[in-house]
Amino acid sequence: WLAYHAHVLPLGYLVVAVDPRSRTSPTLVLNRWRKQGMFIEEWSDIDYLKPELASNTVADDAELQVKRDRHRMRQKNFYQACLRHAKQQERSWVTLIDTDEFL
């Protein structure tokens, strides 16, 4: 995903929302691209959610709908915060895509 967008766009600035339920960290992979000059920010829930929402986690055995609702709430809040951040950074264009989507 990073290789494709880095060469096709070229992607030079990236904000990543790290899933708090993830068992691995993207940092090692992202560091390879940082070394090549890409500016990458990694945000955790506390970076874009209100504190009471960031600390309100969902249990692993929660119903699918509860997990889906949490994901959609996180995504909506991330998108809003990311767009505000891009505006503050005076970015000339922004796209909001998931890792399973390509331009």
Side-chain angles (χ1 to χ4, degrees), residues 16-49:
V16 176
V18 179
D19 188 338
R21 299 170 52 95
S22 180
R23 296 183 182 173
T24 60
S25 170
T27 303
L28 290 176
V29 172
L30 297 176
N31 282 345
R32 291 185 219 157
W33 292 95
R34 286 179 175 114
K35 289 177 185 174
Q36 293 186 29
M38 187 180 295
F39 186 87
I40 303 172
E41 293 187 51
E42 293 177 70
W43 289 3
S44 63
D45 283 2
I46 198 69
D47 294 311
Y48 60 91
L49 292 177

PDB file of all heavy atoms in Angstrom, residues 16-49:
ATOM      1  N   VAL A  16      -1.599   8.224  10.122  1.00  0.00           N
ATOM      2  CA  VAL A  16      -2.092   6.863  10.337  1.00  0.00           C
ATOM      3  C   VAL A  16      -2.774   6.782  11.695  1.00  0.00           C
ATOM      4  O   VAL A  16      -2.196   7.195  12.706  1.00  0.00           O
ATOM      5  CB  VAL A  16      -0.931   5.840  10.297  1.00  0.00           C
ATOM      6  CG1 VAL A  16      -1.417   4.441  10.606  1.00  0.00           C
ATOM      7  CG2 VAL A  16      -0.218   5.893   8.963  1.00  0.00           C
ATOM      8  N   ALA A  17      -3.987   6.237  11.709  1.00  0.00           N
ATOM      9  CA  ALA A  17      -4.668   5.951  12.972  1.00  0.00           C
ATOM     10  C   ALA A  17      -4.332   4.513  13.356  1.00  0.00           C
ATOM     11  O   ALA A  17      -4.647   3.584  12.619  1.00  0.00           O
ATOM     12  CB  ALA A  17      -6.173   6.115  12.829  1.00  0.00           C
ATOM     13  N   VAL A  18      -3.673   4.350  14.475  1.00  0.00           N
ATOM     14  CA  VAL A  18      -3.282   3.017  14.930  1.00  0.00           C
ATOM     15  C   VAL A  18      -4.426   2.425  15.751  1.00  0.00           C
ATOM     16  O   VAL A  18      -4.884   3.030  16.719  1.00  0.00           O
ATOM     17  CB  VAL A  18      -1.982   3.067  15.756  1.00  0.00           C
ATOM     18  CG1 VAL A  18      -1.603   1.688  16.251  1.00  0.00           C
ATOM     19  CG2 VAL A  18      -0.856   3.683  14.917  1.00  0.00           C
ATOM     20  N   ASP A  19      -4.879   1.272  15.348  1.00  0.00           N
ATOM     21  CA  ASP A  19      -5.979   0.591  16.024  1.00  0.00           C
ATOM     22  C   ASP A  19      -5.517   0.129  17.406  1.00  0.00           C
ATOM     23  O   ASP A  19      -4.539  -0.609  17.511  1.00  0.00           O
ATOM     24  CB  ASP A  19      -6.424  -0.609  15.196  1.00  0.00           C
ATOM     25  CG  ASP A  19      -7.675  -1.273  15.719  1.00  0.00           C
ATOM     26  OD1 ASP A  19      -7.994  -1.114  16.921  1.00  0.00           O
ATOM     27  OD2 ASP A  19      -8.332  -1.972  14.935  1.00  0.00           O
ATOM     28  N   PRO A  20      -6.202   0.550  18.462  1.00  0.00           N
ATOM     29  CA  PRO A  20      -5.775   0.155  19.810  1.00  0.00           C
ATOM     30  C   PRO A  20      -5.903  -1.351  20.049  1.00  0.00           C
ATOM     31  O   PRO A  20      -5.272  -1.891  20.948  1.00  0.00           O
ATOM     32  CB  PRO A  20      -6.718   0.936  20.731  1.00  0.00           C
ATOM     33  CG  PRO A  20      -7.909   1.228  19.900  1.00  0.00           C
ATOM     34  CD  PRO A  20      -7.406   1.380  18.494  1.00  0.00           C
ATOM     35  N   ARG A  21      -6.672  -2.045  19.234  1.00  0.00           N
ATOM     36  CA  ARG A  21      -6.826  -3.493  19.380  1.00  0.00           C
ATOM     37  C   ARG A  21      -5.770  -4.273  18.595  1.00  0.00           C
ATOM     38  O   ARG A  21      -5.695  -5.488  18.687  1.00  0.00           O
ATOM     39  CB  ARG A  21      -8.225  -3.907  18.935  1.00  0.00           C
ATOM     40  CG  ARG A  21      -9.333  -3.271  19.771  1.00  0.00           C
ATOM     41  CD  ARG A  21     -10.703  -3.488  19.163  1.00  0.00           C
ATOM     42  NE  ARG A  21     -10.968  -4.865  18.866  1.00  0.00           N
ATOM     43  CZ  ARG A  21     -11.619  -5.708  19.669  1.00  0.00           C
ATOM     44  NH1 ARG A  21     -12.096  -5.266  20.808  1.00  0.00           N
ATOM     45  NH2 ARG A  21     -11.811  -6.958  19.330  1.00  0.00           N
ATOM     46  N   SER A  22      -4.962  -3.565  17.838  1.00  0.00           N
ATOM     47  CA  SER A  22      -3.938  -4.222  17.028  1.00  0.00           C
ATOM     48  C   SER A  22      -2.908  -4.902  17.919  1.00  0.00           C
ATOM     49  O   SER A  22      -2.514  -4.380  18.957  1.00  0.00           O
ATOM     50  CB  SER A  22      -3.249  -3.192  16.136  1.00  0.00           C
ATOM     51  OG  SER A  22      -2.258  -3.816  15.362  1.00  0.00           O
ATOM     52  N   ARG A  23      -2.479  -6.039  17.467  1.00  0.00           N
ATOM     53  CA  ARG A  23      -1.469  -6.800  18.228  1.00  0.00           C
ATOM     54  C   ARG A  23      -0.060  -6.492  17.768  1.00  0.00           C
ATOM     55  O   ARG A  23       0.908  -6.946  18.360  1.00  0.00           O
ATOM     56  CB  ARG A  23      -1.762  -8.286  18.118  1.00  0.00           C
ATOM     57  CG  ARG A  23      -3.085  -8.612  18.773  1.00  0.00           C
ATOM     58  CD  ARG A  23      -3.398 -10.046  18.767  1.00  0.00           C
ATOM     59  NE  ARG A  23      -4.714 -10.209  19.393  1.00  0.00           N
ATOM     60  CZ  ARG A  23      -5.370 -11.316  19.450  1.00  0.00           C
ATOM     61  NH1 ARG A  23      -4.853 -12.398  18.929  1.00  0.00           N
ATOM     62  NH2 ARG A  23      -6.544 -11.382  20.023  1.00  0.00           N
ATOM     63  N   THR A  24       0.046  -5.749  16.691  1.00  0.00           N
ATOM     64  CA  THR A  24       1.354  -5.345  16.183  1.00  0.00           C
ATOM     65  C   THR A  24       1.356  -3.842  15.964  1.00  0.00           C
ATOM     66  O   THR A  24       0.305  -3.221  15.870  1.00  0.00           O
ATOM     67  CB  THR A  24       1.689  -6.056  14.855  1.00  0.00           C
ATOM     68  OG1 THR A  24       0.697  -5.708  13.888  1.00  0.00           O
ATOM     69  CG2 THR A  24       1.740  -7.569  15.033  1.00  0.00           C
ATOM     70  N   SER A  25       2.531  -3.295  15.857  1.00  0.00           N
ATOM     71  CA  SER A  25       2.680  -1.861  15.626  1.00  0.00           C
ATOM     72  C   SER A  25       3.161  -1.626  14.190  1.00  0.00           C
ATOM     73  O   SER A  25       4.017  -2.368  13.698  1.00  0.00           O
ATOM     74  CB  SER A  25       3.700  -1.289  16.601  1.00  0.00           C
ATOM     75  OG  SER A  25       4.024   0.035  16.242  1.00  0.00           O
ATOM     76  N   PRO A  26       2.654  -0.580  13.549  1.00  0.00           N
ATOM     77  CA  PRO A  26       3.127  -0.278  12.188  1.00  0.00           C
ATOM     78  C   PRO A  26       4.449   0.497  12.164  1.00  0.00           C
ATOM     79  O   PRO A  26       5.003   0.751  11.096  1.00  0.00           O
ATOM     80  CB  PRO A  26       1.998   0.589  11.627  1.00  0.00           C
ATOM     81  CG  PRO A  26       1.480   1.317  12.822  1.00  0.00           C
ATOM     82  CD  PRO A  26       1.569   0.315  13.950  1.00  0.00           C
ATOM     83  N   THR A  27       4.973   0.858  13.327  1.00  0.00           N
ATOM     84  CA  THR A  27       6.111   1.773  13.401  1.00  0.00           C
ATOM     85  C   THR A  27       7.329   1.295  12.618  1.00  0.00           C
ATOM     86  O   THR A  27       7.951   2.091  11.903  1.00  0.00           O
ATOM     87  CB  THR A  27       6.490   2.040  14.872  1.00  0.00           C
ATOM     88  OG1 THR A  27       5.343   2.569  15.545  1.00  0.00           O
ATOM     89  CG2 THR A  27       7.642   3.026  14.980  1.00  0.00           C
ATOM     90  N   LEU A  28       7.701   0.020  12.720  1.00  0.00           N
ATOM     91  CA  LEU A  28       8.894  -0.464  12.012  1.00  0.00           C
ATOM     92  C   LEU A  28       8.742  -0.322  10.505  1.00  0.00           C
ATOM     93  O   LEU A  28       9.675   0.105   9.819  1.00  0.00           O
ATOM     94  CB  LEU A  28       9.196  -1.912  12.388  1.00  0.00           C
ATOM     95  CG  LEU A  28       9.693  -2.138  13.810  1.00  0.00           C
ATOM     96  CD1 LEU A  28       9.874  -3.625  14.094  1.00  0.00           C
ATOM     97  CD2 LEU A  28      10.996  -1.392  14.042  1.00  0.00           C
ATOM     98  N   VAL A  29       7.582  -0.651   9.980  1.00  0.00           N
ATOM     99  CA  VAL A  29       7.336  -0.505   8.539  1.00  0.00           C
ATOM    100  C   VAL A  29       7.333   0.969   8.160  1.00  0.00           C
ATOM    101  O   VAL A  29       7.951   1.369   7.164  1.00  0.00           O
ATOM    102  CB  VAL A  29       6.012  -1.183   8.135  1.00  0.00           C
ATOM    103  CG1 VAL A  29       5.653  -0.864   6.694  1.00  0.00           C
ATOM    104  CG2 VAL A  29       6.087  -2.681   8.360  1.00  0.00           C
ATOM    105  N   LEU A  30       6.662   1.784   8.946  1.00  0.00           N
ATOM    106  CA  LEU A  30       6.586   3.212   8.643  1.00  0.00           C
ATOM    107  C   LEU A  30       7.954   3.880   8.720  1.00  0.00           C
ATOM    108  O   LEU A  30       8.250   4.795   7.952  1.00  0.00           O
ATOM    109  CB  LEU A  30       5.597   3.899   9.585  1.00  0.00           C
ATOM    110  CG  LEU A  30       4.138   3.420   9.474  1.00  0.00           C
ATOM    111  CD1 LEU A  30       3.282   4.117  10.521  1.00  0.00           C
ATOM    112  CD2 LEU A  30       3.586   3.620   8.075  1.00  0.00           C
ATOM    113  N   ASN A  31       8.803   3.404   9.624  1.00  0.00           N
ATOM    114  CA  ASN A  31      10.150   3.976   9.754  1.00  0.00           C
ATOM    115  C   ASN A  31      10.962   3.815   8.473  1.00  0.00           C
ATOM    116  O   ASN A  31      11.786   4.670   8.139  1.00  0.00           O
ATOM    117  CB  ASN A  31      10.897   3.363  10.936  1.00  0.00           C
ATOM    118  CG  ASN A  31      10.453   3.947  12.257  1.00  0.00           C
ATOM    119  OD1 ASN A  31       9.793   4.995  12.308  1.00  0.00           O
ATOM    120  ND2 ASN A  31      10.796   3.273  13.338  1.00  0.00           N
ATOM    121  N   ARG A  32      10.746   2.731   7.743  1.00  0.00           N
ATOM    122  CA  ARG A  32      11.458   2.534   6.468  1.00  0.00           C
ATOM    123  C   ARG A  32      11.126   3.666   5.496  1.00  0.00           C
ATOM    124  O   ARG A  32      11.986   4.140   4.764  1.00  0.00           O
ATOM    125  CB  ARG A  32      11.077   1.195   5.851  1.00  0.00           C
ATOM    126  CG  ARG A  32      11.597   0.017   6.605  1.00  0.00           C
ATOM    127  CD  ARG A  32      11.281  -1.250   5.849  1.00  0.00           C
ATOM    128  NE  ARG A  32      10.897  -2.273   6.803  1.00  0.00           N
ATOM    129  CZ  ARG A  32      10.167  -3.325   6.520  1.00  0.00           C
ATOM    130  NH1 ARG A  32       9.721  -3.512   5.297  1.00  0.00           N
ATOM    131  NH2 ARG A  32       9.867  -4.209   7.445  1.00  0.00           N
ATOM    132  N   TRP A  33       9.867   4.080   5.499  1.00  0.00           N
ATOM    133  CA  TRP A  33       9.433   5.147   4.599  1.00  0.00           C
ATOM    134  C   TRP A  33       9.847   6.508   5.127  1.00  0.00           C
ATOM    135  O   TRP A  33      10.132   7.421   4.344  1.00  0.00           O
ATOM    136  CB  TRP A  33       7.926   5.054   4.361  1.00  0.00           C
ATOM    137  CG  TRP A  33       7.641   3.822   3.576  1.00  0.00           C
ATOM    138  CD1 TRP A  33       7.279   2.592   4.061  1.00  0.00           C
ATOM    139  CD2 TRP A  33       7.794   3.662   2.168  1.00  0.00           C
ATOM    140  NE1 TRP A  33       7.179   1.691   3.033  1.00  0.00           N
ATOM    141  CE2 TRP A  33       7.486   2.323   1.861  1.00  0.00           C
ATOM    142  CE3 TRP A  33       8.132   4.529   1.138  1.00  0.00           C
ATOM    143  CZ2 TRP A  33       7.524   1.837   0.563  1.00  0.00           C
ATOM    144  CZ3 TRP A  33       8.173   4.049  -0.152  1.00  0.00           C
ATOM    145  CH2 TRP A  33       7.871   2.715  -0.425  1.00  0.00           C
ATOM    146  N   ARG A  34       9.904   6.643   6.423  1.00  0.00           N
ATOM    147  CA  ARG A  34      10.406   7.900   7.004  1.00  0.00           C
ATOM    148  C   ARG A  34      11.854   8.124   6.574  1.00  0.00           C
ATOM    149  O   ARG A  34      12.245   9.242   6.254  1.00  0.00           O
ATOM    150  CB  ARG A  34      10.301   7.852   8.523  1.00  0.00           C
ATOM    151  CG  ARG A  34       8.890   7.994   9.057  1.00  0.00           C
ATOM    152  CD  ARG A  34       8.863   7.921  10.584  1.00  0.00           C
ATOM    153  NE  ARG A  34       7.554   8.177  11.105  1.00  0.00           N
ATOM    154  CZ  ARG A  34       6.815   7.267  11.754  1.00  0.00           C
ATOM    155  NH1 ARG A  34       7.290   6.046  11.990  1.00  0.00           N
ATOM    156  NH2 ARG A  34       5.617   7.585  12.190  1.00  0.00           N
ATOM    157  N   LYS A  35      12.629   7.046   6.580  1.00  0.00           N
ATOM    158  CA  LYS A  35      14.041   7.149   6.178  1.00  0.00           C
ATOM    159  C   LYS A  35      14.187   7.566   4.723  1.00  0.00           C
ATOM    160  O   LYS A  35      15.215   8.120   4.334  1.00  0.00           O
ATOM    161  CB  LYS A  35      14.753   5.815   6.409  1.00  0.00           C
ATOM    162  CG  LYS A  35      14.970   5.495   7.865  1.00  0.00           C
ATOM    163  CD  LYS A  35      15.618   4.148   8.047  1.00  0.00           C
ATOM    164  CE  LYS A  35      15.715   3.777   9.508  1.00  0.00           C
ATOM    165  NZ  LYS A  35      16.209   2.404   9.705  1.00  0.00           N
ATOM    166  N   GLN A  36      13.172   7.325   3.915  1.00  0.00           N
ATOM    167  CA  GLN A  36      13.200   7.706   2.497  1.00  0.00           C
ATOM    168  C   GLN A  36      12.610   9.100   2.273  1.00  0.00           C
ATOM    169  O   GLN A  36      12.437   9.526   1.145  1.00  0.00           O
ATOM    170  CB  GLN A  36      12.464   6.673   1.662  1.00  0.00           C
ATOM    171  CG  GLN A  36      13.162   5.341   1.650  1.00  0.00           C
ATOM    172  CD  GLN A  36      12.515   4.359   0.698  1.00  0.00           C
ATOM    173  OE1 GLN A  36      11.931   4.743  -0.312  1.00  0.00           O
ATOM    174  NE2 GLN A  36      12.607   3.087   1.014  1.00  0.00           N
ATOM    175  N   GLY A  37      12.250   9.787   3.369  1.00  0.00           N
ATOM    176  CA  GLY A  37      11.808  11.165   3.260  1.00  0.00           C
ATOM    177  C   GLY A  37      10.317  11.393   3.417  1.00  0.00           C
ATOM    178  O   GLY A  37       9.873  12.541   3.357  1.00  0.00           O
ATOM    179  N   MET A  38       9.527  10.339   3.613  1.00  0.00           N
ATOM    180  CA  MET A  38       8.089  10.526   3.800  1.00  0.00           C
ATOM    181  C   MET A  38       7.840  11.006   5.224  1.00  0.00           C
ATOM    182  O   MET A  38       8.435  10.503   6.173  1.00  0.00           O
ATOM    183  CB  MET A  38       7.337   9.221   3.549  1.00  0.00           C
ATOM    184  CG  MET A  38       5.832   9.390   3.556  1.00  0.00           C
ATOM    185  SD  MET A  38       4.936   7.837   3.260  1.00  0.00           S
ATOM    186  CE  MET A  38       5.438   7.468   1.593  1.00  0.00           C
ATOM    187  N   PHE A  39       6.961  11.987   5.367  1.00  0.00           N
ATOM    188  CA  PHE A  39       6.589  12.472   6.691  1.00  0.00           C
ATOM    189  C   PHE A  39       5.350  11.699   7.135  1.00  0.00           C
ATOM    190  O   PHE A  39       4.311  11.758   6.474  1.00  0.00           O
ATOM    191  CB  PHE A  39       6.310  13.977   6.674  1.00  0.00           C
ATOM    192  CG  PHE A  39       6.076  14.532   8.034  1.00  0.00           C
ATOM    193  CD1 PHE A  39       7.132  14.952   8.820  1.00  0.00           C
ATOM    194  CD2 PHE A  39       4.792  14.610   8.555  1.00  0.00           C
ATOM    195  CE1 PHE A  39       6.913  15.445  10.100  1.00  0.00           C
ATOM    196  CE2 PHE A  39       4.571  15.102   9.828  1.00  0.00           C
ATOM    197  CZ  PHE A  39       5.632  15.511  10.608  1.00  0.00           C
ATOM    198  N   ILE A  40       5.463  10.964   8.235  1.00  0.00           N
ATOM    199  CA  ILE A  40       4.376  10.102   8.707  1.00  0.00           C
ATOM    200  C   ILE A  40       4.096  10.391  10.169  1.00  0.00           C
ATOM    201  O   ILE A  40       5.006  10.392  10.996  1.00  0.00           O
ATOM    202  CB  ILE A  40       4.725   8.611   8.535  1.00  0.00           C
ATOM    203  CG1 ILE A  40       5.048   8.304   7.067  1.00  0.00           C
ATOM    204  CG2 ILE A  40       3.591   7.734   9.042  1.00  0.00           C
ATOM    205  CD1 ILE A  40       5.590   6.910   6.834  1.00  0.00           C
ATOM    206  N   GLU A  41       2.820  10.616  10.462  1.00  0.00           N
ATOM    207  CA  GLU A  41       2.374  10.778  11.843  1.00  0.00           C
ATOM    208  C   GLU A  41       1.548   9.554  12.221  1.00  0.00           C
ATOM    209  O   GLU A  41       0.695   9.119  11.448  1.00  0.00           O
ATOM    210  CB  GLU A  41       1.506  12.023  11.988  1.00  0.00           C
ATOM    211  CG  GLU A  41       2.247  13.317  11.764  1.00  0.00           C
ATOM    212  CD  GLU A  41       1.386  14.515  12.089  1.00  0.00           C
ATOM    213  OE1 GLU A  41       0.794  14.549  13.192  1.00  0.00           O
ATOM    214  OE2 GLU A  41       1.311  15.412  11.237  1.00  0.00           O
ATOM    215  N   GLU A  42       1.800   9.029  13.393  1.00  0.00           N
ATOM    216  CA  GLU A  42       1.003   7.922  13.933  1.00  0.00           C
ATOM    217  C   GLU A  42       0.155   8.472  15.067  1.00  0.00           C
ATOM    218  O   GLU A  42       0.690   8.997  16.029  1.00  0.00           O
ATOM    219  CB  GLU A  42       1.907   6.807  14.461  1.00  0.00           C
ATOM    220  CG  GLU A  42       2.691   6.099  13.382  1.00  0.00           C
ATOM    221  CD  GLU A  42       3.635   5.055  13.964  1.00  0.00           C
ATOM    222  OE1 GLU A  42       3.145   4.028  14.468  1.00  0.00           O
ATOM    223  OE2 GLU A  42       4.862   5.290  13.905  1.00  0.00           O
ATOM    224  N   TRP A  43      -1.146   8.344  14.923  1.00  0.00           N
ATOM    225  CA  TRP A  43      -2.071   8.829  15.940  1.00  0.00           C
ATOM    226  C   TRP A  43      -2.721   7.660  16.651  1.00  0.00           C
ATOM    227  O   TRP A  43      -3.151   6.690  16.030  1.00  0.00           O
ATOM    228  CB  TRP A  43      -3.172   9.666  15.313  1.00  0.00           C
ATOM    229  CG  TRP A  43      -2.764  11.011  14.790  1.00  0.00           C
ATOM    230  CD1 TRP A  43      -1.505  11.544  14.760  1.00  0.00           C
ATOM    231  CD2 TRP A  43      -3.620  11.991  14.207  1.00  0.00           C
ATOM    232  NE1 TRP A  43      -1.536  12.794  14.208  1.00  0.00           N
ATOM    233  CE2 TRP A  43      -2.820  13.097  13.855  1.00  0.00           C
ATOM    234  CE3 TRP A  43      -4.979  12.042  13.957  1.00  0.00           C
ATOM    235  CZ2 TRP A  43      -3.343  14.232  13.260  1.00  0.00           C
ATOM    236  CZ3 TRP A  43      -5.505  13.179  13.359  1.00  0.00           C
ATOM    237  CH2 TRP A  43      -4.685  14.265  13.027  1.00  0.00           C
ATOM    238  N   SER A  44      -2.811   7.776  17.969  1.00  0.00           N
ATOM    239  CA  SER A  44      -3.591   6.820  18.758  1.00  0.00           C
ATOM    240  C   SER A  44      -4.935   7.483  19.073  1.00  0.00           C
ATOM    241  O   SER A  44      -5.140   8.663  18.785  1.00  0.00           O
ATOM    242  CB  SER A  44      -2.851   6.449  20.041  1.00  0.00           C
ATOM    243  OG  SER A  44      -2.683   7.585  20.855  1.00  0.00           O
ATOM    244  N   ASP A  45      -5.836   6.740  19.654  1.00  0.00           N
ATOM    245  CA  ASP A  45      -7.172   7.274  19.936  1.00  0.00           C
ATOM    246  C   ASP A  45      -7.128   8.588  20.708  1.00  0.00           C
ATOM    247  O   ASP A  45      -7.925   9.490  20.450  1.00  0.00           O
ATOM    248  CB  ASP A  45      -8.001   6.258  20.724  1.00  0.00           C
ATOM    249  CG  ASP A  45      -8.539   5.141  19.844  1.00  0.00           C
ATOM    250  OD1 ASP A  45      -8.230   5.129  18.633  1.00  0.00           O
ATOM    251  OD2 ASP A  45      -9.281   4.291  20.359  1.00  0.00           O
ATOM    252  N   ILE A  46      -6.216   8.727  21.624  1.00  0.00           N
ATOM    253  CA  ILE A  46      -6.148   9.940  22.453  1.00  0.00           C
ATOM    254  C   ILE A  46      -5.811  11.178  21.614  1.00  0.00           C
ATOM    255  O   ILE A  46      -6.091  12.302  22.016  1.00  0.00           O
ATOM    256  CB  ILE A  46      -5.154   9.761  23.632  1.00  0.00           C
ATOM    257  CG1 ILE A  46      -5.407  10.816  24.713  1.00  0.00           C
ATOM    258  CG2 ILE A  46      -3.722   9.789  23.155  1.00  0.00           C
ATOM    259  CD1 ILE A  46      -6.699  10.653  25.457  1.00  0.00           C
ATOM    260  N   ASP A  47      -5.237  10.977  20.433  1.00  0.00           N
ATOM    261  CA  ASP A  47      -4.883  12.100  19.565  1.00  0.00           C
ATOM    262  C   ASP A  47      -6.075  12.698  18.832  1.00  0.00           C
ATOM    263  O   ASP A  47      -5.996  13.829  18.355  1.00  0.00           O
ATOM    264  CB  ASP A  47      -3.827  11.672  18.535  1.00  0.00           C
ATOM    265  CG  ASP A  47      -2.512  11.318  19.182  1.00  0.00           C
ATOM    266  OD1 ASP A  47      -2.031  12.109  20.016  1.00  0.00           O
ATOM    267  OD2 ASP A  47      -1.968  10.247  18.860  1.00  0.00           O
ATOM    268  N   TYR A  48      -7.170  11.937  18.715  1.00  0.00           N
ATOM    269  CA  TYR A  48      -8.303  12.464  17.948  1.00  0.00           C
ATOM    270  C   TYR A  48      -9.673  12.202  18.560  1.00  0.00           C
ATOM    271  O   TYR A  48     -10.680  12.633  18.017  1.00  0.00           O
ATOM    272  CB  TYR A  48      -8.282  11.940  16.504  1.00  0.00           C
ATOM    273  CG  TYR A  48      -8.360  10.448  16.375  1.00  0.00           C
ATOM    274  CD1 TYR A  48      -9.588   9.803  16.246  1.00  0.00           C
ATOM    275  CD2 TYR A  48      -7.216   9.672  16.381  1.00  0.00           C
ATOM    276  CE1 TYR A  48      -9.674   8.436  16.131  1.00  0.00           C
ATOM    277  CE2 TYR A  48      -7.290   8.308  16.265  1.00  0.00           C
ATOM    278  CZ  TYR A  48      -8.511   7.694  16.129  1.00  0.00           C
ATOM    279  OH  TYR A  48      -8.579   6.336  16.020  1.00  0.00           O
ATOM    280  N   LEU A  49      -9.717  11.507  19.680  1.00  0.00           N
ATOM    281  CA  LEU A  49     -10.982  11.294  20.371  1.00  0.00           C
ATOM    282  C   LEU A  49     -11.007  12.082  21.674  1.00  0.00           C
ATOM    283  O   LEU A  49      -9.960  12.332  22.274  1.00  0.00           O
ATOM    284  CB  LEU A  49     -11.182   9.812  20.704  1.00  0.00           C
ATOM    285  CG  LEU A  49     -11.397   8.852  19.555  1.00  0.00           C
ATOM    286  CD1 LEU A  49     -11.496   7.418  20.084  1.00  0.00           C
ATOM    287  CD2 LEU A  49     -12.634   9.200  18.753  1.00  0.00           C
TER     288      LEU A  49
END
